[in-house]
Amino acid sequence: MKSFGKKPWLLPQPVLIIGTYDREGKPNAMNAAWAGTWDDDTIMISMGTHYTTRNLNEKGEFTVAFATVDTLVASDFVGIVSMKNDTDKIKKTGWTVVSAEHVNAPVFKEFPMTMECRVKEKLNTSATGFYLVAEVVNIFCDEAYLAEDGKPDMTRMNLISFDPIHNRYIRMGDAVGKAFADGRRLK
């Protein structure tokens, strides 16, 4: 086996679009990949110092959408362009913006599934950022992406994952097994 030293290669990494409003109520979005589940109704996102960081400090509410193959170009764009440098950033994405139902944050309708979130706490705040711990207030999903059981079906969403090894996006694949069930064959 080849050794690569210390790397944050936790795979797969989600491609999340964080939606906030700025001081003037203008919608903003940024791309984030270093995130995960914290608890039953809580997520964690590693945040650097961004225009979005200021919005989160002021508003405390945001949305998280899951990037797809169809939203890839605009999703990458909002990750490399700051609204402080381009105030027409969201207009350039072509996304349709509506207000979230349960939090004061924008929803971008082109994404199949979005979480509405509230900041619970910030951990390890430093000059380079912090860990954002947030309560998931609500999740909504476009009905075109629901499975027969009425729940979101991520195999239909064409979700993408960030590959930090080669700096690329990978399409998520098909279901290959049943969690908490397939392993029972070895009992």
Side-chain angles (χ1 to χ4, degrees):
M1 294 189 134
K2 183 176 179 179
S3 176
F4 290 93
K6 296 181 188 180
K7 303 284 184 193
W9 292 348
L10 186 61
L11 305 172
Q13 290 187 7
V15 179
L16 305 176
I17 303 304
I18 301 171
T20 59
Y21 286 126
D22 70 6
R23 291 177 180 150
E24 292 76 40
K26 194 168 186 174
N28 182 42
M30 72 166 275
N31 181 322
W34 295 1
T37 302
W38 183 272
D39 205 346
D40 288 343
D41 66 350
T42 309
I43 60 170
M44 183 279 303
I45 304 170
S46 178
M47 294 294 300
T49 53
H50 305 280
Y51 192 87
T52 297
T53 307
R54 185 188 81 183
N55 296 346
L56 289 168
N57 288 334
E58 293 176 1
K59 305 284 185 186
E61 297 183 329
F62 61 101
T63 56
V64 176
F66 299 88
T68 66
V69 170
D70 292 338
T71 65
L72 188 150
V73 172
S75 294
D76 191 56
F77 173 75
V78 300
I80 59 178
V81 174
S82 173
M83 194 153 146
K84 67 184 165 195
N85 299 323
D86 187 343
T87 57
D88 286 332
K89 174 180 170 176
I90 299 302
K91 183 178 180 182
K92 288 178 180 177
T93 66
W95 294 340
T96 308
V97 180
V98 297
S99 293
E101 292 180 22
H102 300 95
V103 297
N104 183 20
V107 172
F108 308 107
K109 291 182 72 172
E110 286 70 18
F111 294 85
M113 194 165 89
T114 302
M115 297 188 296
E116 296 173 290
C117 302
R118 275 195 193 99
V119 175
K120 285 177 80 168
E121 62 183 308
K122 292 180 272 181
L123 304 173
N124 298 338
T125 300
S126 71
T128 59
F130 57 90
Y131 295 104
L132 175 70
V133 179
E135 171 191 14
V136 177
V137 176
N138 184 46
I139 298 174
F140 56 90
C141 182
D142 184 318
E143 290 185 20
Y145 300 99
L146 299 181
E148 290 72 33
D149 64 1
K151 295 178 184 175
D153 183 350
M154 64 181 280
T155 64
R156 293 183 185 179
M157 294 181 194
N158 234 353
L159 298 174
I160 57 175
S161 173
F162 172 61
D163 171 4
I165 300 165
H166 297 103
N167 287 331
R168 62 186 176 181
Y169 298 109
I170 306 292
R171 179 192 329 249
M172 300 297 291
D174 298 324
V176 295
K178 185 75 173 157
F180 308 106
D182 288 348
R184 292 183 184 154
R185 293 184 288 198
L186 300 179
K187 281 189 167 187

Coordinates of all heavy atoms in Angstrom, one line a residue, residues 63-152:
T63 N -30.1 27.9 4.4 CA -30.6 26.6 3.8 C -29.4 25.9 3.3 O -28.3 26.4 3.0 CB -31.5 26.9 2.6 OG1 -30.9 27.8 1.6 CG2 -32.9 27.5 3.0
V64 N -29.6 24.6 3.1 CA -28.5 23.7 2.5 C -29.2 22.9 1.4 O -30.1 22.1 1.7 CB -27.9 22.8 3.6 CG1 -26.9 21.8 3.0 CG2 -27.3 23.6 4.7
A65 N -28.7 23.1 0.2 CA -29.2 22.3 -0.9 C -28.1 21.3 -1.4 O -26.9 21.6 -1.1 CB -29.6 23.2 -2.1
F66 N -28.5 20.2 -2.0 CA -27.6 19.2 -2.4 C -27.3 19.3 -3.9 O -28.3 19.2 -4.7 CB -28.1 17.8 -2.1 CG -28.3 17.6 -0.6 CD1 -29.5 18.0 0.0 CD2 -27.3 17.1 0.2 CE1 -29.7 17.8 1.4 CE2 -27.5 16.9 1.6 CZ -28.7 17.3 2.1
A67 N -26.1 19.6 -4.3 CA -25.8 19.8 -5.7 C -25.9 18.5 -6.5 O -25.7 17.4 -6.1 CB -24.3 20.4 -5.8
T68 N -26.3 18.8 -7.8 CA -26.5 17.7 -8.7 C -25.7 17.9 -10.0 O -25.1 18.9 -10.2 CB -28.0 17.6 -9.1 OG1 -28.3 18.8 -9.9 CG2 -28.9 17.6 -7.9
V69 N -25.7 16.9 -10.9 CA -25.1 17.0 -12.2 C -25.6 18.2 -12.9 O -24.9 19.0 -13.5 CB -25.3 15.7 -13.0 CG1 -24.8 15.9 -14.4 CG2 -24.5 14.6 -12.3
D70 N -27.0 18.4 -12.8 CA -27.6 19.5 -13.6 C -27.2 20.9 -13.0 O -27.2 21.9 -13.7 CB -29.1 19.4 -13.5 CG -29.6 18.2 -14.4 OD1 -28.9 17.8 -15.3 OD2 -30.7 17.7 -14.1
T71 N -26.9 21.0 -11.7 CA -26.5 22.3 -11.1 C -25.0 22.4 -10.9 O -24.6 23.4 -10.3 CB -27.2 22.4 -9.7 OG1 -26.7 21.4 -8.8 CG2 -28.7 22.3 -9.8
L72 N -24.2 21.5 -11.4 CA -22.8 21.5 -11.2 C -22.1 22.8 -11.6 O -21.3 23.3 -10.7 CB -22.2 20.3 -12.0 CG -20.7 20.0 -11.7 CD1 -20.4 18.5 -11.9 CD2 -19.8 20.8 -12.6
V73 N -22.3 23.3 -12.7 CA -21.5 24.5 -13.2 C -21.8 25.7 -12.3 O -20.9 26.3 -11.8 CB -21.8 24.8 -14.7 CG1 -21.2 26.2 -15.1 CG2 -21.3 23.7 -15.6
A74 N -23.1 25.9 -12.0 CA -23.5 27.1 -11.1 C -23.1 26.8 -9.7 O -22.7 27.7 -9.0 CB -25.0 27.3 -11.2
S75 N -23.1 25.5 -9.3 CA -22.7 25.2 -7.9 C -21.2 25.4 -7.7 O -20.7 25.9 -6.7 CB -23.0 23.7 -7.6 OG -24.4 23.5 -7.6
D76 N -20.4 25.1 -8.7 CA -19.0 25.3 -8.7 C -18.7 26.9 -8.7 O -17.9 27.4 -7.9 CB -18.2 24.6 -9.8 CG -16.7 24.7 -9.7 OD1 -16.2 24.2 -8.6 OD2 -16.0 25.2 -10.6
F77 N -19.5 27.6 -9.5 CA -19.3 29.0 -9.6 C -19.5 29.7 -8.3 O -18.7 30.6 -7.9 CB -20.4 29.5 -10.7 CG -20.4 31.0 -10.7 CD1 -19.4 31.8 -11.4 CD2 -21.5 31.7 -10.2 CE1 -19.5 33.1 -11.5 CE2 -21.5 33.1 -10.3 CZ -20.5 33.8 -10.9
V78 N -20.6 29.3 -7.5 CA -20.8 30.0 -6.2 C -19.7 29.6 -5.2 O -19.6 30.2 -4.1 CB -22.2 29.8 -5.7 CG1 -23.3 30.3 -6.6 CG2 -22.5 28.3 -5.3
G79 N -18.9 28.6 -5.5 CA -17.8 28.2 -4.6 C -16.5 29.0 -4.9 O -15.7 29.1 -4.1
I80 N -16.4 29.5 -6.2 CA -15.2 30.2 -6.5 C -15.3 31.7 -6.7 O -14.3 32.4 -6.8 CB -14.6 29.6 -7.8 CG1 -15.5 29.7 -9.0 CG2 -14.2 28.2 -7.6 CD1 -15.0 29.2 -10.4
V81 N -16.6 32.2 -6.6 CA -16.8 33.6 -6.7 C -17.5 34.1 -5.5 O -18.6 33.6 -5.1 CB -17.7 33.9 -8.0 CG1 -18.1 35.4 -8.0 CG2 -17.0 33.5 -9.2
S82 N -17.0 35.1 -4.8 CA -17.6 35.7 -3.6 C -18.5 36.8 -4.0 O -18.3 37.6 -4.9 CB -16.5 36.2 -2.7 OG -17.1 36.9 -1.6
M83 N -19.6 36.9 -3.3 CA -20.6 38.0 -3.5 C -20.0 39.4 -3.2 O -20.4 40.4 -3.7 CB -21.9 37.8 -2.7 CG -23.0 38.6 -3.2 SD -24.5 37.9 -2.8 CE -25.5 39.3 -2.5
K84 N -19.0 39.4 -2.3 CA -18.3 40.7 -2.1 C -17.6 41.2 -3.3 O -17.4 42.4 -3.4 CB -17.4 40.6 -0.8 CG -16.2 39.7 -1.0 CD -15.4 39.7 0.3 CE -14.4 38.5 0.2 NZ -13.9 38.2 1.5
N85 N -17.3 40.3 -4.2 CA -16.6 40.7 -5.5 C -17.5 40.7 -6.7 O -17.2 41.3 -7.7 CB -15.4 39.7 -5.8 CG -14.4 39.7 -4.7 OD1 -14.1 40.8 -4.1 ND2 -13.8 38.6 -4.4
D86 N -18.7 40.1 -6.6 CA -19.6 40.0 -7.7 C -21.0 40.0 -7.1 O -21.6 38.9 -6.7 CB -19.4 38.7 -8.5 CG -20.2 38.7 -9.8 OD1 -21.2 39.5 -9.9 OD2 -19.9 37.9 -10.7
T87 N -21.7 41.2 -7.1 CA -23.0 41.3 -6.5 C -24.1 40.7 -7.3 O -25.2 40.5 -6.9 CB -23.3 42.8 -6.2 OG1 -23.3 43.5 -7.4 CG2 -22.4 43.3 -5.1
D88 N -23.8 40.3 -8.6 CA -24.7 39.6 -9.5 C -24.5 38.1 -9.5 O -25.0 37.4 -10.4 CB -24.6 40.2 -10.9 CG -25.3 41.6 -11.0 OD1 -26.2 41.9 -10.2 OD2 -24.8 42.3 -11.9
K89 N -23.8 37.6 -8.5 CA -23.4 36.2 -8.5 C -24.7 35.3 -8.6 O -24.6 34.4 -9.5 CB -22.7 36.0 -7.1 CG -22.4 34.6 -6.8 CD -21.7 34.5 -5.4 CE -21.6 33.2 -4.9 NZ -20.8 33.1 -3.6
I90 N -25.7 35.5 -7.9 CA -26.9 34.6 -7.9 C -27.6 34.8 -9.3 O -28.0 33.8 -9.9 CB -27.8 34.9 -6.7 CG1 -27.1 34.6 -5.4 CG2 -29.1 34.0 -6.9 CD1 -26.5 33.2 -5.3
K91 N -27.7 36.0 -9.8 CA -28.3 36.2 -11.1 C -27.6 35.4 -12.2 O -28.2 34.8 -13.0 CB -28.3 37.7 -11.4 CG -29.1 38.0 -12.7 CD -29.1 39.5 -12.9 CE -29.8 39.8 -14.2 NZ -29.8 41.2 -14.5
K92 N -26.3 35.3 -12.1 CA -25.5 34.6 -13.1 C -25.7 33.1 -13.1 O -25.5 32.4 -14.1 CB -24.0 34.9 -12.9 CG -23.6 36.3 -13.3 CD -22.2 36.6 -13.1 CE -21.8 38.1 -13.5 NZ -20.4 38.4 -13.2
T93 N -26.1 32.6 -11.9 CA -26.4 31.1 -11.8 C -27.6 30.7 -12.6 O -27.8 29.6 -13.0 CB -26.6 30.7 -10.4 OG1 -27.8 31.3 -9.8 CG2 -25.4 31.0 -9.5
G94 N -28.6 31.7 -12.7 CA -29.8 31.3 -13.4 C -30.8 30.7 -12.4 O -31.9 30.2 -12.9
W95 N -30.5 30.5 -11.2 CA -31.3 29.9 -10.2 C -32.6 30.7 -9.9 O -32.5 31.9 -9.8 CB -30.6 29.6 -8.9 CG -29.5 28.6 -9.0 CD1 -29.3 27.7 -10.0 CD2 -28.4 28.4 -8.2 NE1 -28.2 26.9 -9.8 CE2 -27.6 27.4 -8.7 CE3 -28.0 29.0 -7.0 CZ2 -26.4 26.9 -8.0 CZ3 -26.8 28.6 -6.4 CH2 -26.0 27.6 -6.9
T96 N -33.7 30.0 -9.6 CA -34.9 30.7 -9.2 C -34.9 30.7 -7.7 O -34.7 29.7 -7.0 CB -36.1 29.8 -9.6 OG1 -36.0 29.6 -11.1 CG2 -37.4 30.5 -9.3
V97 N -35.0 31.9 -7.1 CA -35.0 32.1 -5.7 C -36.3 32.4 -5.1 O -37.1 33.2 -5.6 CB -34.0 33.3 -5.3 CG1 -33.9 33.5 -3.8 CG2 -32.7 33.1 -5.9
V98 N -36.7 31.6 -4.0 CA -37.9 31.8 -3.2 C -37.5 31.8 -1.8 O -36.4 31.3 -1.4 CB -39.0 30.8 -3.5 CG1 -39.4 30.8 -4.9 CG2 -38.5 29.4 -3.1
S99 N -38.3 32.3 -0.9 CA -38.0 32.3 0.5 C -38.4 31.0 1.1 O -39.4 30.4 0.8 CB -38.8 33.5 1.2 OG -38.3 34.7 0.8
A100 N -37.5 30.6 2.1 CA -37.8 29.4 2.8 C -39.0 29.6 3.7 O -39.4 30.7 4.0 CB -36.6 29.0 3.7
E101 N -39.7 28.5 4.0 CA -40.9 28.5 4.8 C -40.7 28.7 6.3 O -41.4 29.4 7.0 CB -41.8 27.3 4.6 CG -42.3 27.2 3.2 CD -43.2 25.9 3.0 OE1 -43.6 25.4 4.0 OE2 -43.3 25.5 1.9
H102 N -39.6 28.1 6.8 CA -39.4 28.0 8.3 C -38.2 28.8 8.8 O -38.0 29.0 10.0 CB -39.2 26.5 8.7 CG -40.4 25.7 8.4 ND1 -40.6 25.0 7.2 CD2 -41.6 25.5 9.1 CE1 -41.7 24.4 7.2 NE2 -42.4 24.7 8.3
V103 N -37.3 29.3 7.9 CA -36.2 30.1 8.3 C -36.1 31.3 7.3 O -36.6 31.3 6.2 CB -34.9 29.3 8.3 CG1 -34.9 28.1 9.3 CG2 -34.5 28.8 6.9
N104 N -35.3 32.3 7.8 CA -35.1 33.5 7.0 C -33.9 33.3 6.1 O -32.8 33.7 6.4 CB -34.9 34.7 7.9 CG -34.8 36.0 7.1 OD1 -35.2 36.1 5.9 ND2 -34.2 37.0 7.7
A105 N -34.1 32.6 5.0 CA -33.0 32.2 4.0 C -33.6 31.9 2.7 O -34.8 31.5 2.6 CB -32.2 31.0 4.6
P106 N -32.8 32.0 1.6 CA -33.3 31.7 0.3 C -33.3 30.2 0.0 O -32.5 29.4 0.5 CB -32.3 32.4 -0.6 CG -31.0 32.4 0.2 CD -31.4 32.5 1.6
V107 N -34.2 29.8 -0.9 CA -34.3 28.5 -1.4 C -34.1 28.6 -2.9 O -34.6 29.5 -3.6 CB -35.7 27.8 -1.2 CG1 -35.8 26.5 -1.9 CG2 -35.9 27.6 0.3
F108 N -33.2 27.7 -3.5 CA -32.9 27.7 -4.9 C -33.7 26.5 -5.5 O -33.4 25.4 -5.2 CB -31.4 27.6 -5.1 CG -30.7 28.7 -4.4 CD1 -29.9 28.4 -3.3 CD2 -30.8 30.0 -4.8 CE1 -29.3 29.4 -2.5 CE2 -30.1 31.0 -4.0 CZ -29.4 30.7 -2.9
K109 N -34.7 26.8 -6.3 CA -35.7 25.8 -6.7 C -35.1 24.7 -7.6 O -35.7 23.7 -7.8 CB -36.9 26.5 -7.4 CG -37.7 27.3 -6.4 CD -38.9 27.9 -7.1 CE -39.9 26.8 -7.5 NZ -41.2 27.4 -7.9
E110 N -33.9 24.9 -8.2 CA -33.4 24.0 -9.1 C -32.8 22.7 -8.5 O -32.5 21.8 -9.1 CB -32.2 24.6 -10.0 CG -32.8 25.6 -11.0 CD -33.4 26.9 -10.5 OE1 -33.1 27.3 -9.3 OE2 -34.1 27.5 -11.2
F111 N -32.7 22.8 -7.1 CA -32.2 21.6 -6.4 C -33.3 20.7 -5.9 O -34.3 21.2 -5.5 CB -31.4 22.1 -5.2 CG -30.1 22.9 -5.6 CD1 -30.2 24.2 -5.9 CD2 -28.9 22.3 -5.7 CE1 -29.1 24.9 -6.3 CE2 -27.8 23.0 -6.1 CZ -27.9 24.3 -6.4
P112 N -33.0 19.4 -6.0 CA -34.1 18.4 -5.6 C -34.5 18.4 -4.1 O -35.6 18.1 -3.8 CB -33.5 17.1 -6.1 CG -32.1 17.3 -6.1 CD -31.8 18.7 -6.4
M113 N -33.5 18.7 -3.3 CA -33.8 18.6 -1.9 C -33.0 19.7 -1.1 O -31.9 20.0 -1.4 CB -33.3 17.2 -1.3 CG -33.9 16.9 0.1 SD -33.8 15.2 0.5 CE -32.1 15.2 1.2
T114 N -33.7 20.3 -0.1 CA -33.1 21.4 0.6 C -33.5 21.3 2.1 O -34.6 20.9 2.4 CB -33.6 22.8 0.1 OG1 -33.3 22.9 -1.3 CG2 -33.0 23.9 0.9
M115 N -32.5 21.6 2.9 CA -32.7 21.6 4.4 C -32.8 23.1 4.8 O -32.0 23.9 4.4 CB -31.6 20.9 5.1 CG -31.4 19.5 4.8 SD -30.2 18.6 5.9 CE -28.7 19.4 5.4
E116 N -33.7 23.4 5.7 CA -33.8 24.7 6.4 C -33.1 24.5 7.7 O -33.5 23.6 8.5 CB -35.3 25.1 6.5 CG -36.0 25.3 5.2 CD -37.4 25.5 5.3 OE1 -38.2 24.6 5.7 OE2 -37.9 26.7 5.1
C117 N -32.2 25.4 8.1 CA -31.4 25.2 9.2 C -31.2 26.5 10.1 O -31.3 27.6 9.5 CB -30.0 24.8 8.8 SG -29.9 23.3 7.9
R118 N -31.0 26.3 11.4 CA -30.7 27.4 12.3 C -29.3 27.1 13.0 O -29.1 26.0 13.4 CB -31.7 27.5 13.4 CG -32.9 28.3 13.0 CD -33.8 28.7 14.2 NE -35.0 29.2 13.6 CZ -36.1 28.5 13.5 NH1 -36.2 27.3 14.0 NH2 -37.2 29.0 12.9
V119 N -28.5 28.1 13.1 CA -27.3 28.0 13.8 C -27.5 27.6 15.3 O -28.3 28.3 16.0 CB -26.4 29.3 13.7 CG1 -25.2 29.1 14.6 CG2 -26.1 29.6 12.3
K120 N -26.9 26.6 15.8 CA -27.0 26.2 17.2 C -25.8 26.8 18.0 O -25.9 27.3 19.0 CB -27.1 24.7 17.4 CG -28.4 24.1 17.1 CD -28.4 22.6 17.2 CE -28.6 22.2 18.7 NZ -28.9 20.7 18.8
E121 N -24.6 26.5 17.4 CA -23.4 27.0 18.0 C -22.2 27.0 17.0 O -22.3 26.4 15.9 CB -23.0 26.2 19.2 CG -22.7 24.7 18.9 CD -22.4 23.9 20.2 OE1 -21.5 24.4 21.0 OE2 -23.1 22.9 20.4
K122 N -21.2 27.7 17.3 CA -20.0 27.8 16.5 C -18.8 27.3 17.4 O -18.7 27.7 18.5 CB -19.7 29.2 16.0 CG -20.7 29.7 15.0 CD -20.4 31.0 14.5 CE -21.1 32.0 15.4 NZ -20.9 33.4 15.1
L123 N -18.1 26.3 16.9 CA -17.0 25.8 17.7 C -15.6 26.1 17.1 O -15.5 26.2 15.9 CB -17.1 24.2 17.7 CG -18.5 23.7 18.3 CD1 -18.5 22.2 18.1 CD2 -18.6 24.1 19.7
N124 N -14.6 26.2 17.9 CA -13.3 26.4 17.5 C -13.1 27.6 16.6 O -12.4 27.6 15.6 CB -12.7 25.2 16.9 CG -12.6 24.0 17.8 OD1 -12.6 24.2 19.0 ND2 -12.6 22.8 17.3
T125 N -13.7 28.7 16.9 CA -13.6 30.0 16.1 C -12.2 30.5 16.1 O -11.6 30.6 17.2 CB -14.6 31.0 16.7 OG1 -15.9 30.5 16.7 CG2 -14.5 32.3 15.9
S126 N -11.7 30.8 14.9 CA -10.3 31.3 14.8 C -10.3 32.3 13.6 O -11.4 32.5 13.0 CB -9.4 30.1 14.5 OG -9.6 29.6 13.2
A127 N -9.2 32.8 13.3 CA -9.1 33.7 12.2 C -9.4 33.1 10.8 O -9.8 33.8 9.9 CB -7.6 34.3 12.1
T128 N -9.3 31.8 10.7 CA -9.6 31.1 9.5 C -11.0 30.5 9.4 O -11.3 29.9 8.3 CB -8.6 30.0 9.2 OG1 -8.6 29.1 10.3 CG2 -7.2 30.6 9.1
G129 N -11.8 30.6 10.4 CA -13.2 30.0 10.4 C -13.6 29.4 11.6 O -13.1 29.7 12.7
F130 N -14.6 28.5 11.5 CA -15.2 27.8 12.7 C -15.9 26.6 12.2 O -16.2 26.4 11.0 CB -16.1 28.7 13.4 CG -17.2 29.3 12.6 CD1 -18.4 28.7 12.5 CD2 -17.0 30.5 12.0 CE1 -19.4 29.2 11.7 CE2 -18.0 31.1 11.2 CZ -19.2 30.5 11.1
Y131 N -16.4 25.8 13.1 CA -17.3 24.6 12.8 C -18.7 25.1 13.2 O -18.9 25.5 14.3 CB -16.9 23.4 13.7 CG -15.5 22.9 13.3 CD1 -14.5 23.1 14.1 CD2 -15.4 22.2 12.1 CE1 -13.2 22.6 13.8 CE2 -14.1 21.7 11.7 CZ -13.0 21.9 12.6 OH -11.8 21.4 12.2
L132 N -19.5 25.1 12.2 CA -20.9 25.5 12.4 C -21.8 24.3 12.7 O -21.8 23.3 12.0 CB -21.4 26.1 11.1 CG -22.9 26.5 11.0 CD1 -23.1 27.7 11.9 CD2 -23.3 26.8 9.6
V133 N -22.4 24.3 13.9 CA -23.3 23.2 14.3 C -24.7 23.8 14.1 O -25.0 24.9 14.7 CB -23.1 22.8 15.7 CG1 -24.0 21.7 16.1 CG2 -21.6 22.3 15.9
A134 N -25.6 23.1 13.4 CA -26.9 23.7 13.1 C -28.0 22.7 13.2 O -27.9 21.5 12.9 CB -26.9 24.2 11.6
E135 N -29.1 23.2 13.7 CA -30.4 22.4 13.8 C -31.0 22.4 12.4 O -31.2 23.4 11.8 CB -31.3 23.0 14.8 CG -32.7 22.4 14.9 CD -33.7 23.2 15.7 OE1 -33.4 24.4 16.1 OE2 -34.7 22.7 16.0
V136 N -31.4 21.2 12.0 CA -32.3 21.0 10.8 C -33.7 21.3 11.2 O -34.3 20.5 12.0 CB -32.1 19.6 10.2 CG1 -33.0 19.5 8.9 CG2 -30.6 19.4 9.8
V137 N -34.3 22.3 10.8 CA -35.7 22.7 11.1 C -36.7 22.0 10.2 O -37.7 21.6 10.7 CB -35.8 24.3 11.0 CG1 -37.3 24.7 11.3 CG2 -34.9 25.0 11.9
N138 N -36.3 21.8 9.0 CA -37.2 21.2 8.0 C -36.4 20.7 6.8 O -35.4 21.3 6.5 CB -38.3 22.2 7.6 CG -39.3 21.5 6.7 OD1 -39.8 20.4 6.9 ND2 -39.7 22.2 5.6
I139 N -36.9 19.7 6.2 CA -36.3 19.2 4.9 C -37.5 19.1 3.9 O -38.6 18.6 4.3 CB -35.7 17.8 5.0 CG1 -34.5 17.9 6.0 CG2 -35.2 17.3 3.6 CD1 -33.9 16.5 6.2
F140 N -37.3 19.7 2.7 CA -38.3 19.5 1.7 C -37.7 19.0 0.4 O -36.5 19.2 0.2 CB -39.2 20.7 1.4 CG -38.4 22.0 1.1 CD1 -38.1 22.2 -0.2 CD2 -37.9 22.8 2.0 CE1 -37.4 23.3 -0.6 CE2 -37.2 23.9 1.7 CZ -36.9 24.2 0.4
C141 N -38.5 18.2 -0.3 CA -38.0 17.6 -1.5 C -39.0 17.7 -2.7 O -40.2 17.5 -2.4 CB -37.7 16.1 -1.2 SG -37.0 15.1 -2.6
D142 N -38.5 18.0 -3.8 CA -39.3 18.0 -5.0 C -40.0 16.7 -5.2 O -39.3 15.6 -5.1 CB -38.4 18.4 -6.2 CG -39.2 18.5 -7.5 OD1 -40.1 17.7 -7.8 OD2 -38.9 19.4 -8.3
E143 N -41.3 16.6 -5.4 CA -42.0 15.3 -5.5 C -41.5 14.4 -6.6 O -41.7 13.2 -6.5 CB -43.5 15.6 -5.6 CG -44.0 16.2 -4.3 CD -45.5 16.3 -4.3 OE1 -46.2 15.7 -5.1 OE2 -46.0 17.1 -3.5
A144 N -40.8 15.0 -7.6 CA -40.3 14.2 -8.7 C -39.2 13.3 -8.2 O -38.8 12.3 -8.9 CB -39.8 15.1 -9.8
Y145 N -38.7 13.5 -7.0 CA -37.5 12.8 -6.5 C -37.9 11.9 -5.3 O -37.1 11.5 -4.5 CB -36.4 13.7 -6.1 CG -35.9 14.5 -7.3 CD1 -36.3 15.8 -7.5 CD2 -35.0 13.9 -8.2 CE1 -35.9 16.5 -8.6 CE2 -34.6 14.6 -9.3 CZ -35.0 15.9 -9.5 OH -34.6 16.6 -10.6
L146 N -39.2 11.6 -5.2 CA -39.7 10.7 -4.1 C -39.8 9.3 -4.5 O -40.1 9.0 -5.7 CB -41.0 11.2 -3.6 CG -41.1 12.6 -3.0 CD1 -42.5 12.9 -2.5 CD2 -40.1 12.8 -1.9
A147 N -39.4 8.4 -3.6 CA -39.5 6.9 -3.9 C -41.0 6.5 -3.7 O -41.8 7.3 -3.2 CB -38.6 6.2 -3.0
E148 N -41.2 5.2 -3.9 CA -42.6 4.7 -3.8 C -43.1 4.8 -2.3 O -44.3 4.9 -2.1 CB -42.6 3.2 -4.2 CG -42.4 3.0 -5.7 CD -41.0 3.3 -6.2 OE1 -40.0 3.0 -5.5 OE2 -40.9 3.8 -7.4
D149 N -42.2 4.8 -1.4 CA -42.6 5.0 0.0 C -42.8 6.4 0.5 O -43.1 6.7 1.6 CB -41.5 4.3 1.0 CG -40.2 5.0 0.9 OD1 -40.0 6.0 0.2 OD2 -39.3 4.5 1.6
G150 N -42.7 7.4 -0.5 CA -43.0 8.8 -0.2 C -41.8 9.5 0.4 O -41.9 10.7 0.6
K151 N -40.7 8.9 0.5 CA -39.5 9.5 1.1 C -38.5 9.9 -0.1 O -38.6 9.3 -1.2 CB -38.7 8.6 2.0 CG -39.5 8.3 3.3 CD -38.8 7.3 4.2 CE -39.6 6.9 5.4 NZ -38.9 5.9 6.2
P152 N -37.6 10.9 0.1 CA -36.7 11.2 -0.9 C -35.8 10.0 -1.4 O -35.4 9.2 -0.6 CB -35.8 12.3 -0.2 CG -36.6 12.9 0.8 CD -37.5 11.7 1.3

